Amino acid sequence: MGLRRKNKRLVVLSHEFIIQNHADTASSLVTGFLVGLMFEVSAKYAIIFIAVQYNVTYTTGDNGEQFHFYDYGPKDIATVFFYMLVAINLHAVIQEYVLDKINRRLHLSKTKHSKFNESGQLAFFYLFSFIWGASILNAVSHSICCFYFKNSLKVLRRSLNQSPFSLGRICDEPNLTLERLSPFSYAEDIPRQLCYICLYIVHISGAYILNLQHLGLILMVPHYLVELIFHASRLFYFSDENKQKGFTIWALLFVMVRLLTLTLSVLTFGFGLARVENPDFSIADGNFNVLPVRIGCLGAVCLTQAWMMWKFINFQLKKWREHVKNQIPKKKITNTKNKRTKKELNRANFVNGAAKFEGGASPRIRKSKPVSEDNI
C-alpha cells in the first residue's frame, strides 16, 4: 500500500488510527501466513488458515462415482480470520485506487463522500458475490441434487465450491464495518450499518452450520443482484442527480425478490425437506432435518423478509412525503403571483394622484384654490 502523509499524530488504537492503518496491518499478517508455507515446521500450521479443512468424499452407485464435500469444525475459524484479512486488503485497494480518484473529480461534500464510499465498496462486494454465486449454481449438476435427497444425508451437504463461498461471505461482512464506519459517518448511521452486517452474518452462518448451504446460495444470489442495482444506482445519482431510473428498477426487483424468498422458503421447509425428514436429531452426524429446526428457520426467514419490507415501505413513504412537501410551496407561489393584493389594487387605481374607476374613467378632479402668499 502507498504511504500516506498524516497531518497529525493519531492516538494508538483509536478509531481514526484503526481506519487508517488496518489495511497495512492486515497485509503484514497475510504476508506472514504465506511465508509460513515456505518452511516445513510452520507449514502444517499455516495451511490451517489458508486451505479449507474437513473435506469428505462419498462413493455411490455401482460405478463408484465419487462426490467431494466439506464438513465444518473449529478450524474454520482460522480460515475465516485469514480470508477476512485478504478481504481487508482488497477493499483498501478498491478504496485507494478507484473510489478516491473518482471522489477527487466529483468534489462531493463530506456526507456524500461517505455515502459514495459506502456504496462503492458494497457495489464491488455484491458484484463479486453475485458472479461467484451464479457460477456455482451453474456448475451444480442435477445428479448431485438428486444425490442429496436420495441418500438422505444431512439436510443439505455443502459442495466443493459452496463451502468457500459461504466462508468468504462471512469473512467479508466484518470487514465492511471498518470500511462503512468512516470518520464522517453520523451516529444514526452506525446502528443501521451494524444491524445489516449482523443479519448477514447470522443468516449465512446459520445456513452454513445447519447444512442449508444450497438453499442459502439460491436465496443469496437474487438478493445480491438487487443490492448491486441499488448501490450502482446510488453511485450514478451522486455523479448526476438526474439519473434516478435505477431506483425504480431496484424497487420493483426488491419486492419480487422478497416474494421469491418467501415462496422458496415455504416450499423447501414445508414440503421438500419434510418428505426426507429424519426424526433422529444429531449434532455429531449433522442431522438437523427435524420439525422444530425447520419451523425456526422458516420463522427467521419470514420475520427478516417482513422487516425488510416494512423498512422499504417506510423509506418509500418518506420519499413520497418529501416530494409532496417540495411541491406544495411551488403551487402557493404560482397562485400568489396571479392574485394581487388589495393594497396593490388600490395603488394601481391611483395614477399621478388621481383615482380611477373600474371602467378606466377617472373622477372629476376638483379645482384647487390658488395658493396665496399668505398661505406659504
Side-chain angles (χ1 to χ4, degrees), residues 327-339:
Q327 294 296 325
I328 291 176
K330 294 181 180 179
K331 293 181 179 180
K332 287 184 177 180
I333 291 172
T334 55
N335 292 332
T336 53
K337 288 182 178 179
N338 296 329
K339 294 180 179 180

Side-chain angles (χ1 to χ4, degrees), residues 11-54:
V11 180
V12 179
L13 298 180
S14 63
H15 179 73
E16 292 80 5
F17 180 85
I18 295 174
I19 292 296
Q20 291 189 7
N21 298 283
H22 71 283
D24 298 331
T25 305
S27 61
S28 301
L29 293 174
V30 170
T31 305
F33 286 118
L34 294 177
V35 171
L37 292 175
M38 302 172 61
F39 303 97
E40 185 178 356
V41 177
S42 58
K44 59 182 178 180
Y45 301 104
I47 197 66
I48 299 175
F49 291 87
I50 298 173
V52 181
Q53 308 297 312
Y54 307 108

Side-chain angles (χ1 to χ4, degrees), residues 88-107:
I88 289 175
N89 285 278
L90 292 176
H91 283 287
V93 170
I94 293 171
Q95 182 66 43
E96 184 170 355
Y97 294 101
V98 180
L99 298 179
D100 287 347
K101 291 184 178 180
I102 298 175
N103 275 320
R104 293 186 193 121
R105 295 181 179 180
L106 296 178
H107 303 288

Side-chain angles (χ1 to χ4, degrees), residues 110-127:
K110 290 183 178 180
T111 304
K112 289 185 177 181
H113 178 83
S114 177
K115 292 181 179 180
F116 183 87
N117 289 336
E118 176 186 346
S119 294
Q121 292 287 350
L122 290 174
F124 279 102
F125 167 76
Y126 289 124
L127 177 62

